[in-house]
Amino acid sequence: MNALSIVLGALASGSNFSLWVTLVMLLTFGFYILYRDKRASERQKQISLLPTLTKTYWGILKNSLHVASLRPQVILPYFSSVLKRVGPLVHFKVMLRDYIIINDPDDIKILLCSTQHITKGPDYKMLEPWLNKGLLTSTDEKWHTRRKLLTNTFHFKILETYIPALNKHAYALVQNLAKASKNDEVITDIDSHVTLCALDIVCETIMGVNLRSQEGQSIDYVNAIKTNDCMFCFTSVSNIVIKRIFTFWLWSETIFNVSTSGRDFYKSLKVLHTFTENVIQEKKQKLNFAENQNAWTNERKRIYSFLDLLIGISKENPSMMTDLDIREEVDTFLFEGHDTSSIAMTMALIHIGMNQNIQDDIREELHGIFGDSDRDATMEDLKAMPILERVIKETMRLYPSVTGITRKLNQPLSLKNHIIPPETILVVVPHLLHREESMYPNPEMFNPDRFLPEQCINRHPYGYIPFSAGPRNCIGQKFAMYQMKTVISTVVRYMKLETLGTQKDIIVSTQLVLRADSLPSLKITPLFNNNFKY
């Protein structure tokens, strides 16, 4: 039964409100085709010169319904098969929108290096109720101003002050894993443990708040941003957003707001925003009190969180950093800081447990740094871990956290072999780029040696973009690397990992960031005795 038959059958039964909405959208689409203006026709002539999946109106309708029906687990395999069949550039239309996936690093460099084409795709607008127009979603002058303001908050001297918090929460993770593996119990939910560790880290460093999620605290907030275990239940904010991106009838604000997804979205959003707003107000009061105390004691040495720094910027530039501006940046970095790094750390631990020779090499490297001591890692220690860094880079090659990067063109863009007209949405999928055999032979194999210096010399610099690239690259990538190195090195120092499965047991899906739907279990053997300092 084809997609249209399914739609018509469901409409006839009257059983699905969303499909009635689809019919309205399809009628709107039909009127657009009949009455579109001459400018749009000229633009479509340029589009018609590109390799495409949607050559006819029926093809557009069929493709729109097909994309809307894709399960999160099959999105990446589907587009991988499309690129293999059509080539490194392919156009497709979803209702009224023209998308082009590019997978040639030369084309990707042209796009991401551009200082003109920095407008994010329309999918990012669906994040605005959550993240408003912060660094991730803003564009033009606001983005330039905000990026400049925030760059200093990720200076290495600031990042160095976060190292104690990274160590503290990494040791808490080790303790939790030790408890969970008592009596030779197998760890079946390593991703949950790592996610809570990452959440504790970003809450302390970003907000200056000890969330204590690894201790079972702050349950409402954790549940609001944590992914639901069932991939068909889009109850978390991030899952609902990705569902909306691929389900074209939910693009309409009116339809989304009355849908079950919309109601769940705003319910969870209220928890997130209330938590952030309360923390901001409490932090402001504490900072005012601390300033008054400092005036009397002259004691000025303290550790500043990202939120402290934003409040400081607000005092110096009140028109450029309001309370709403502070909230949108804190919400942005809370989301990006824990969700993106937790999947990378989880996958790294799984692969370290699969490859005992690699684990031995990492542990030998760490022993050369720490010896038999149980001291905390320092910034200098973290810089002296090339083997672990290669493992992390290979992990992010296979499992880049960001599943897609989009740009909406406001003017024509000349790629290597094609000219792309304005209003087109360009899509870069790092997961597919990082599996190009021309750059990565045997691409599914986990091989950290790909990132030995001699292996990287001739590789295209835009063939590896786990943190994006160009002017809109990830501002927090150094923080993320320090976080991952601290957590993974701490686990390996104190625990032996054995993965009870193979790489084939890993099943991922496309959510707002990459998600692990299924992972092999881990057998963990603590290497420390009862005198372990934490």
Side-chain angles (χ1 to χ4, degrees):
M1 183 180 291
N2 61 35
L4 184 59
S5 299
I6 295 171
V7 172
L8 294 176
L11 290 173
S13 67
S15 60
N16 194 319
F17 169 75
S18 294
L19 291 176
W20 281 105
V21 173
T22 306
L23 181 59
V24 174
M25 298 288 285
L26 296 179
L27 290 172
T28 304
F29 175 62
F31 283 119
Y32 167 80
I33 291 171
L34 290 173
Y35 297 106
R36 59 185 179 160
D37 59 29
K38 184 178 179 180
R39 182 182 174 186
S41 297
E42 289 298 319
R43 187 172 164 280
Q44 288 307 311
K45 286 182 181 178
Q46 291 179 284
I47 291 288
S48 68
L49 301 175
L50 305 173
T52 185
L53 297 179
T54 48
K55 296 180 180 179
T56 64
Y57 294 143
W58 164 243
I60 296 170
L61 171 59
K62 185 178 179 181
N63 187 70
S64 300
L65 292 170
H66 180 66
V67 169
S69 70
L70 291 175
R71 293 182 294 109
Q73 283 184 1
V74 301
I75 290 172
L76 289 171
Y78 169 70
F79 285 109
S80 175
S81 67
V82 167
L83 289 174
K84 287 176 181 176
R85 186 173 76 251
V86 180
L89 183 148
V90 58
H91 162 267
F92 63 95
K93 203 173 183 74
V94 176
M95 297 305 289
L96 310 183
R97 293 180 184 172
D98 287 296
Y99 290 89
I100 296 174
I101 297 180
I102 55 175
N103 205 45
D104 184 317
D106 287 329
D107 285 342
I108 291 170
K109 179 180 179 180
I110 292 169
L111 175 66
L112 297 186
C113 274
S114 171
T115 56
Q116 294 178 320
H117 302 288
I118 62 169
T119 302
K120 296 291 186 77
D123 44 308
Y124 285 85
K125 287 189 176 295
M126 300 175 193
L127 284 167
E128 289 183 8
W130 179 11
L131 306 179
N132 204 33
K133 292 189 177 181
L135 193 64
L136 179 66
T137 54
S138 60
T139 192
D140 297 329
E141 185 60 31
K142 179 172 182 178
W143 176 80
H144 284 288
T145 302
R146 190 63 59 85
R147 177 84 182 203
K148 187 176 180 180
L149 278 174
L150 295 180
T151 295
N152 286 338
T153 64
F154 287 94
H155 190 276
F156 77 92
K157 289 184 177 179
I158 298 295
L159 295 180
E160 192 166 18
T161 68
Y162 296 158
I163 301 299
L166 303 186
N167 279 291
K168 178 177 71 174
H169 295 300
Y171 281 116
L173 173 62
V174 168
Q175 280 190 317
N176 282 344
L177 293 177
K179 291 176 185 175
S181 60
K182 274 187 177 179
N183 302 318
D184 292 327
E185 287 290 323
V186 170
I187 305 289
T188 59
D189 58 345
I190 183 66
D191 52 331
S192 295
H193 289 283
V194 173
T195 297
L196 293 181
C197 174
L199 186 59
D200 278 344
I201 287 172
V202 297
C203 279
E204 181 159 347
T205 56
I206 299 299
M207 303 182 77
V209 171
N210 193 355
L211 196 65
R212 299 171 65 190
S213 68
Q214 293 190 89
E215 300 172 31
Q217 304 297 313
S218 307
I219 297 300
D220 288 345
Y221 184 80
V222 172
N223 287 341
I225 63 175
K226 188 179 177 184
T227 307
N228 193 284
D229 290 334
C230 175
M231 75 173 183
F232 295 106
C233 299
F234 294 90
T235 56
S236 74
V237 169
S238 57
N239 282 2
I240 292 170
V241 170
I242 198 68
K243 178 182 180 181
R244 189 181 180 194
I245 287 170
F246 281 89
T247 310
F248 63 85
W249 56 85
L250 293 178
W251 293 350
S252 162
E253 291 291 336
T254 302
I255 294 171
F256 178 69
N257 290 342
V258 300
S259 69
T260 301
S261 295
R263 293 194 297 272
D264 289 343
F265 176 79
Y266 285 106
K267 183 179 178 180
S268 290
L269 209 56
K270 185 177 180 182
V271 175
L272 298 180
H273 284 166
T274 299
F275 176 83
T276 308
E277 288 164 358
N278 288 342
V279 169
I280 291 171
Q281 295 309 315
E282 289 174 11
K283 179 64 68 174
K284 278 188 165 184
Q285 293 173 9
K286 288 180 180 178
L287 287 177
N288 288 334
F289 177 76
E291 286 177 2
N292 292 333
Q293 288 293 102
N294 285 338
W296 289 97
T297 65
N298 291 322
E299 184 182 340
R300 304 209 176 257
K301 187 177 180 181
R302 61 187 302 273
I303 296 175
Y304 290 91
S305 68
F306 178 70
L307 176 55
D308 295 334
L309 298 170
L310 290 184
I311 292 173
I313 292 173
S314 178
K315 288 184 177 181
E316 295 176 5
N317 304 276
S319 63
M320 299 172 68
M321 187 65 68
T322 64
D323 280 359
L324 178 59
D325 294 326
I326 292 173
R327 192 193 77 186
E328 67 190 13
E329 295 303 348
V330 170
D331 281 338
T332 295
F333 285 98
L334 277 176
F335 159 63
E336 290 191 309
H338 99 276
D339 249 4
T340 53
S341 61
S342 61
I343 183 67
M345 290 189 291
T346 296
M347 293 303 189
L349 292 174
I350 290 285
H351 282 280
I352 289 170
M354 283 182 196
N355 298 274
Q356 294 301 309
N357 58 328
I358 293 175
Q359 186 172 169
D360 290 341
D361 289 343
I362 296 171
R363 193 169 288 115
E364 184 177 345
E365 176 176 77
L366 297 176
H367 190 267
I369 296 171
F370 298 100
D372 295 324
S373 75
D374 60 358
R375 67 175 178 81
D376 288 354
T378 66
M379 180 79 86
E380 291 306 311
D381 294 333
L382 300 177
K383 292 177 181 178
M385 300 179 182
I387 295 174
L388 179 56
E389 183 166 321
R390 291 199 295 271
V391 168
I392 292 172
K393 286 182 175 179
E394 175 68 350
T395 302
M396 291 191 295
R397 180 190 71 82
L398 279 170
Y399 309 102
S401 303
V402 177
T403 53
I405 301 165
T406 64
R407 295 286 189 273
K408 183 177 180 181
L409 302 185
N410 297 316
Q411 49 194 304
L413 175 66
S414 296
L415 296 180
K416 190 165 64 174
N417 298 316
H418 302 280
I419 297 176
I420 312 300
E423 301 301 312
T424 308
I425 302 159
L426 290 185
V427 184
V428 178
V429 186
H431 184 94
L432 304 181
L433 174 69
H434 292 175
R435 282 167 166 74
E436 274 296 302
E437 283 205 62
S438 59
M439 293 185 290
Y440 304 102
N442 196 6
E444 295 297 333
M445 179 183 175
F446 184 81
N447 179 15
D449 285 350
R450 298 181 199 273
F451 292 93
L452 286 167
E454 59 269 26
Q455 295 294 324
C456 297
I457 291 174
N458 296 321
R459 186 176 300 144
H460 198 294
Y462 280 73
Y464 180 72
I465 52 170
F467 295 108
S468 188
R472 294 209 72 152
N473 68 344
C474 175
I475 194 173
Q477 58 185 285
K478 288 184 179 179
F479 170 83
M481 186 59 78
Y482 290 142
Q483 177 188 11
M484 291 186 284
K485 281 187 174 181
T486 304
V487 171
I488 297 169
S489 67
T490 303
V491 172
V492 176
R493 281 173 70 188
Y494 294 107
M495 323 201 89
K496 179 181 179 181
L497 309 175
E498 296 176 76
T499 301
L500 306 179
T502 68
Q503 196 170 329
K504 292 181 180 179
D505 297 316
I506 298 174
I507 299 174
V508 298
S509 64
T510 302
Q511 304 293 349
L512 210 50
V513 296
L514 195 71
R515 297 288 188 193
D517 289 334
S518 180
L519 292 170
S521 299
L522 273 176
K523 180 182 178 183
I524 293 181
T525 306
L527 300 177
F528 53 84
N529 56 32
N530 292 332
N531 294 322
F532 176 59
K533 73 172 185 175
Y534 285 86

